[in-house]
Amino acid sequence: MTAASSTEEVREIRTVTMVAMLAGVAVAVVLSAGALIVAAAGGGAANDGAAPQAAAAAAVDAPLEVAFELDEMTVHPEAATIAPGGRVEVVNAGAIPHDLVVLDLEVGTPMMDSGEVVSFGVDELDPGSYTVICTVPGHREAGMEATLTVAGATDEQVAVDHDGAEVASAGELFPGTLSFDPNATPEEGFTARDPRLEPAPDADLHEVTIRASQLQGEVAPGVRQELWTFNDLVPGPVLRGSVGDTFRITFINDGAMPHSIDFHASKVAPNDEMRTIDPGEQLIYEFEALHAGIWMYHCGTSPVLHHTGNGQYGAVIVDPPDLPEVDHEYVFVQSEFYLGAEGEPGSYAKMLAEAPDIVAFNGYANQYLNDPITDVAVGERVRAWVLDAGPSENSSWHVIGTIFDTVYKEGAYRLQPDETRGGAQALDLQPSQGGFVEFTFDEDGVYPFVTHKFANVPRGAVGAFVVGDVVPDAAAH
């Protein structure tokens, strides 16, 4: 595949590639006006049906008991007041485990199964306003938080969170999260993930074990995040077979939270094989591949956006009948990263705002720019399979300097070589769509590949084929 290039060669190839196709392209990240803003108090009806209470000093006759109901992904009511010495009753009305804990304090419920009811006392809490949250990763960002006020609070106590943090304003979106430097380069000896695709195994039954886990991983030079993975990979392993083959997947949850797996290539009842399992559990997911194409698989546990946005996705390739041989096959999975704090999971607030920091091929920004693909010669036929795993960005996959003579998208050929000599310039994909293109290179040179949604190129969605014995300066336009 790609032999790790020397620092000077990488610098030259990066320069040539960027000059060739990035002139005039600016980086612009537009933050949605609907991004999450932390509020000191919420609305919503109180548990006794009264009008919503702002987080303010409680009346003397405040109830001794309040109740919160947990769902996917909400806490009802959004605000409640309790007298000192009272108890809080919590009902998990959701389909997956939740808890409800006072932020930064060891006061609250244990993790609760669906349907479970647990109560806890507030004897340890001074009068004031407290944020209560579900501690399952991503659930607070998805909306699972509320305000619990213990009677007797002053106006000053109510105006701040218990830890003293001021209420966030719209100008303080995404505080404490990392950003991506598109000019950063990896350490010496960096090797990109091998994009080469092996032929489908000569078997009718494909037995595979896939394990869900969390780990620390690098997604760009010097940028580390907690990734939620399949088999410790982002994207997960690529599976391949033919129409009529059976895939038998042993899915094991080695993680610290509930996970699931959903194969778009299957036709099975979602409440069976796709069901969420707890840490330490496993299931068998078996399906017959009835339709050709490149199919996404991903974690389907709520919030799905957070699980896929943190890395739990991959590709299954089911070959169309009579797929011709080519000289080289590659697979590129486009996806986004929404950086959180260093070493933490991705920011769910950024995901909801559709504000990605990184858009990458095969899980790492600019990796095929820093370690280009070098094993293709002039005239050799290339097939590139592309899957847009999203979770939210589209893709327009394009190779600069060549033309696609074959396009296969979402289960059908859109273009094949014939006497009309038609050609295509891009493979357009929405999230979870995929296909392949075929092409050749007519001259030695450096051929960048990108998504032609150019706002995402400076975010890391660029690589290069280096064809032949190239002196990079000679390839510049």
Side-chain angles (χ1 to χ4, degrees):
M1 195 275 291
T2 62
S5 306
S6 71
T7 302
E8 186 60 32
E9 288 172 337
V10 166
R11 185 179 296 113
E12 291 177 339
I13 290 168
R14 286 175 62 93
T15 300
V16 169
T17 299
M18 302 309 282
V19 167
M21 45 73 57
L22 289 183
V25 176
V27 180
V29 179
V30 179
L31 303 181
S32 167
L36 298 182
I37 300 174
V38 179
N47 61 297
D48 60 359
Q53 297 190 36
V60 174
D61 60 351
L64 290 177
E65 305 248 354
V66 299
F68 286 105
E69 181 177 282
L70 312 180
D71 206 336
E72 280 78 50
M73 289 287 160
T74 58
V75 179
H76 300 290
E78 296 179 13
T81 301
I82 191 169
R87 294 191 67 78
V88 178
E89 181 180 270
V90 182
V91 179
N92 184 3
I96 61 176
H98 296 295
D99 62 2
L100 193 69
V101 176
V102 177
L103 182 64
D104 296 329
L105 296 175
E106 295 182 1
V107 176
T109 74
M111 197 61 63
M112 304 164 56
D113 291 330
S114 177
E116 192 172 353
V117 180
V118 176
S119 64
F120 65 90
V122 297
D123 296 15
E124 302 176 33
L125 303 182
D126 297 327
S129 182
Y130 297 83
T131 299
V132 290
I133 66 169
C134 177
T135 66
V136 176
H139 287 199
R140 181 191 183 191
E141 289 184 297
M144 295 197 72
E145 71 174 30
T147 299
L148 176 65
T149 299
V150 179
T154 66
D155 289 344
E156 289 183 355
Q157 286 173 312
V158 170
V160 297
D161 290 333
H162 180 69
D163 62 2
E166 295 292 337
V167 175
S169 68
E172 297 171 313
L173 297 174
F174 317 133
T177 62
L178 296 175
S179 58
F180 164 59
D181 178 3
N183 297 313
T185 56
E187 295 181 358
E188 189 75 24
F190 170 81
T191 300
R193 178 164 170 172
D194 192 344
R196 291 177 299 182
L197 182 65
E198 296 299 323
D202 187 17
D204 297 330
L205 174 64
H206 308 276
E207 295 187 280
V208 181
T209 297
I210 294 182
R211 297 176 178 270
S213 65
Q214 290 93 244
L215 55 80
Q216 291 291 315
E218 190 172 76
V219 296
V223 180
R224 295 186 66 80
Q225 291 277 269
E226 178 180 293
L227 300 174
W228 303 352
T229 74
F230 292 131
N231 285 7
D232 297 339
L233 296 171
V234 176
V238 177
L239 310 183
R240 190 174 192 182
S242 302
V243 173
D245 289 357
T246 296
F247 289 82
R248 183 176 298 151
I249 311 298
T250 301
F251 178 59
I252 302 172
N253 187 354
D254 284 340
M257 68 185 78
H259 291 297
S260 62
I261 196 165
D262 168 2
F263 286 93
H264 288 193
S266 70
K267 297 181 71 175
V268 299
N271 60 306
D272 187 7
E273 281 95 332
M274 298 180 196
R275 70 185 183 274
T276 294
I277 60 175
D278 290 330
E281 294 182 343
Q282 68 179 59
L283 58 78
I284 302 296
Y285 189 136
E286 184 170 319
F287 66 94
E288 183 180 358
L290 299 174
H291 301 277
I294 178 168
W295 302 89
M296 184 176 178
Y297 68 88
H298 62 93
C299 181
T301 298
S302 185
V304 179
L305 175 61
H306 206 202
H307 286 254
T308 55
N310 273 312
Q312 287 189 308
Y313 50 83
V316 177
I317 294 174
V318 181
D319 287 350
D322 303 318
L323 185 67
E325 291 187 5
V326 291
D327 297 298
H328 303 277
E329 280 191 281
Y330 304 99
V331 60
F332 300 101
V333 178
Q334 179 183 307
S335 64
E336 305 120 46
F337 293 99
Y338 301 79
L339 302 178
E342 184 173 3
E344 296 296 321
S347 167
Y348 192 65
K350 288 182 180 179
M351 296 178 197
L352 288 172
E354 298 183 46
D357 297 281
I358 291 171
V359 179
F361 299 127
N362 292 344
Y364 193 98
N366 290 335
Q367 65 176 319
Y368 303 113
L369 192 59
N370 292 293
D371 185 17
I373 299 170
T374 59
D375 53 355
V376 181
V378 167
E380 292 183 333
R381 191 158 185 80
V382 177
R383 177 181 298 129
W385 294 83
V386 185
L387 172 71
D388 180 9
S392 297
E393 286 291 308
N394 59 24
S395 180
S396 180
W397 201 80
H398 170 70
V399 181
I400 299 171
T402 191
I403 294 172
F404 306 149
D405 61 27
T406 301
V407 177
Y408 181 95
K409 175 185 172 183
E410 287 293 282
Y413 283 98
R414 310 300 173 92
L415 174 68
Q416 289 181 279
D418 61 20
E419 66 277 2
T420 65
R421 298 187 61 80
Q425 55 206 307
L427 175 61
D428 59 311
L429 303 169
Q430 290 296 322
S432 89
Q433 291 188 323
F436 68 76
V437 292
E438 295 178 7
F439 52 93
T440 58
F441 298 109
D442 288 359
E443 301 175 354
D444 288 354
V446 178
Y447 294 83
F449 59 88
V450 299
T451 173
H452 221 275
K453 184 175 182 177
F454 277 142
N456 286 332
V457 173
R459 293 185 174 121
V462 57
F465 293 95
V466 177
V467 179
D469 187 14
V470 177
V471 178
D473 286 344
H477 292 355

